Amino acid sequence: MFEPSDPAKSAAEFIQSELSKLEGLNIEMVSQEKNVRLKTQQNGDFDVVLTRWGPDYADPTTYLNVLLPGGSFNFGKYPNEEYTEKLKEAADADTDEERWQLLKDAEKIAMDDVAVGPVFQTGASDLLNPKVKHLVDNPVGVPFVYKYVTIEE
């Protein structure tokens, strides 16, 4: 299942093309507009879905929390007690280093389970006039904060 817009449509077509090279595997493509696709996902009425997740804040938990049991975006109902426990431990970690290691451990568990299959990541580049100073360019969430901008003469 996929959305009929780019980049989802072209990515889904490519994935189908590649998977069709595997003997005995037939992938039926189901195109659904986003609002319909989300309802279908919420109902658990899918085998494989190409979807996307955009981070809301600059921390790995913006991705990792999606796979927690009972989460409103855990459409695949991913169940792994060890994964859940690692995230709980990370939330209570005493140091940043300990937290980071626990988050990496949780990610490895999810990747080993193939809870999700990352396909691509979007990105962008910006040109900035050297006279513009103090522009906050966020990698996630709201792209720019203009509050501190100054323009040099």
Side-chain angles (χ1 to χ4, degrees), residues 3-83:
E3 285 180 36
S5 58
D6 278 325
K9 183 176 188 280
S10 55
E13 289 169 347
F14 174 77
I15 292 167
Q16 181 194 33
S17 156
E18 291 300 301
L19 291 176
S20 71
K21 296 175 184 174
L22 298 172
E23 188 174 327
L25 184 62
N26 180 35
I27 303 290
E28 177 189 347
M29 302 284 285
V30 177
S31 173
Q32 293 186 342
E33 294 295 334
K34 184 177 182 177
N35 59 337
V36 177
R37 177 185 55 79
L38 286 172
K39 274 252 190 274
T40 304
Q41 285 180 257
Q42 288 166 343
N43 294 334
D45 189 21
F46 64 93
D47 293 315
V48 178
V49 63
L50 180 64
T51 187
R52 63 187 185 275
W53 183 257
D56 299 321
Y57 50 93
D59 189 83
T61 57
T62 193
Y63 291 104
L64 298 173
N65 287 344
V66 170
L67 295 174
L68 287 173
S72 58
F73 292 101
N74 186 1
F75 299 125
K77 310 288 188 266
Y78 175 63
N80 188 306
E81 290 178 21
E82 185 182 7
Y83 177 85

Side-chain angles (χ1 to χ4, degrees), residues 24-150:
L25 184 62
N26 180 35
I27 303 290
E28 177 189 347
M29 302 284 285
V30 177
S31 173
Q32 293 186 342
E33 294 295 334
K34 184 177 182 177
N35 59 337
V36 177
R37 177 185 55 79
L38 286 172
K39 274 252 190 274
T40 304
Q41 285 180 257
Q42 288 166 343
N43 294 334
D45 189 21
F46 64 93
D47 293 315
V48 178
V49 63
L50 180 64
T51 187
R52 63 187 185 275
W53 183 257
D56 299 321
Y57 50 93
D59 189 83
T61 57
T62 193
Y63 291 104
L64 298 173
N65 287 344
V66 170
L67 295 174
L68 287 173
S72 58
F73 292 101
N74 186 1
F75 299 125
K77 310 288 188 266
Y78 175 63
N80 188 306
E81 290 178 21
E82 185 182 7
Y83 177 85
T84 302
E85 187 57 34
K86 290 286 182 192
L87 288 179
K88 285 179 184 174
E89 290 174 23
D92 295 331
D94 293 326
T95 66
D96 290 342
E97 293 77 16
E98 179 187 6
R99 179 179 182 270
W100 189 253
Q101 185 58 54
L102 289 162
L103 293 175
K104 289 188 336 185
D105 294 346
E107 179 188 47
K108 182 171 181 354
I109 292 166
M111 292 297 100
D112 287 349
D113 285 348
V114 193
V116 295
V119 177
F120 61 87
Q121 181 174 334
T122 60
S125 58
D126 304 302
L127 293 175
L128 184 62
N129 186 315
K131 294 179 181 180
V132 176
K133 303 295 181 193
H134 313 293
L135 176 66
V136 178
D137 185 358
N138 293 318
V140 298
V142 176
F144 297 106
V145 176
Y146 301 101
K147 180 178 181 177
Y148 310 106
V149 169
T150 59

